[in-house]
Amino acid sequence: MEPTSEPAPGTGPPRERVLAAELIRRAEDVRRLAREARSAPTAGARDRIAACHAGNGDALRAIVARHGWPTAEAVGEPASTAALTLLLHSPDLGFQLTCRDLIAEAVADGRCPAVHHAYIADHCAVALNQPQFYGTRINPGTLFPYPIRHPESVDERRHDVGLGPLTDHLRAVRLDLGASGGL
């Protein structure tokens, strides 16, 4: 009997393709609204972003309740990354904590990239006023990272999950902010 090959992530059954398309579309909507808000920073623009984040959080909560965390294995890495983007902007810390644990399991099983866990772990730690592990969260007021647990070994942890050195990340953030005219 000839071995069958598995479909590429995100190209599998129609349900996974539809889910992947929805996640990517929602993340693109967030990016579009953010660009619009940067070019015309008004109260209305901020309200549209907040409503988008809340709606995306609700949609992601429903997806996770029905299908579990949308792993790279199930929906493809672009759609799984889009889900992470939606999660990071969700206004519900309890939901973020739940998903942080689901993402940790998916990373341990090889179904998601380790960097996904790094971003949500740091996000939750900062939200809980705890030191972050990977230095992915930057204080917009100071352009320095929020406190980091064991900062002397942060670059080792960053390397382990596929992130470059923290100094390179900070330089890129500061250059990007200078090019875009600030936050």
Side-chain angles (χ1 to χ4, degrees), residues 5-175:
S5 63
E6 294 286 321
T11 61
R15 178 179 58 136
E16 282 79 8
R17 287 194 309 268
V18 169
L19 184 58
E22 178 183 357
L23 292 166
I24 290 169
R25 179 192 56 79
R26 286 180 175 279
E28 287 171 353
D29 287 347
V30 169
R31 285 189 288 277
R32 179 183 49 77
L33 286 172
R35 277 192 309 274
E36 290 171 8
R38 279 192 301 274
S39 66
T42 64
R46 285 188 299 277
D47 291 345
R48 285 189 295 280
I49 289 173
C52 181
H53 289 168
N56 286 341
D58 292 343
L60 186 59
R61 187 178 297 102
I63 289 167
V64 170
R66 281 191 310 261
H67 308 287
W69 180 254
T71 63
E73 177 185 76
V75 297
E77 195 165 328
S80 186
T81 300
L84 177 65
T85 298
L86 303 181
L87 179 63
L88 290 170
H89 291 102
S90 169
D92 184 347
L93 178 59
F95 177 59
Q96 292 171 334
L97 290 166
T98 297
C99 290
R100 176 197 62 188
D101 297 342
L102 294 174
I103 293 168
E105 290 173 18
V107 167
D109 294 343
R111 296 176 290 128
C112 260
V115 71
H116 287 193
H117 184 257
Y119 276 99
I120 190 60
D122 278 0
H123 181 87
C124 291
V126 169
L128 294 168
N129 292 316
Q130 298 172 350
Q132 58 181 325
F133 297 91
Y134 303 96
T136 63
R137 293 291 313 276
I138 308 301
N139 182 319
T142 66
L143 296 184
F144 284 95
Y146 287 99
I148 298 172
R149 183 181 314 269
H150 304 297
E152 68 281 357
S153 58
V154 69
D155 282 337
E156 293 170 37
R157 291 189 301 278
R158 289 177 64 87
H159 179 267
D160 289 347
V161 297
L163 292 169
L166 182 57
T167 55
D168 292 353
H169 175 63
L170 291 172
R171 186 178 309 113
V173 166
R174 291 170 182 152
L175 282 173

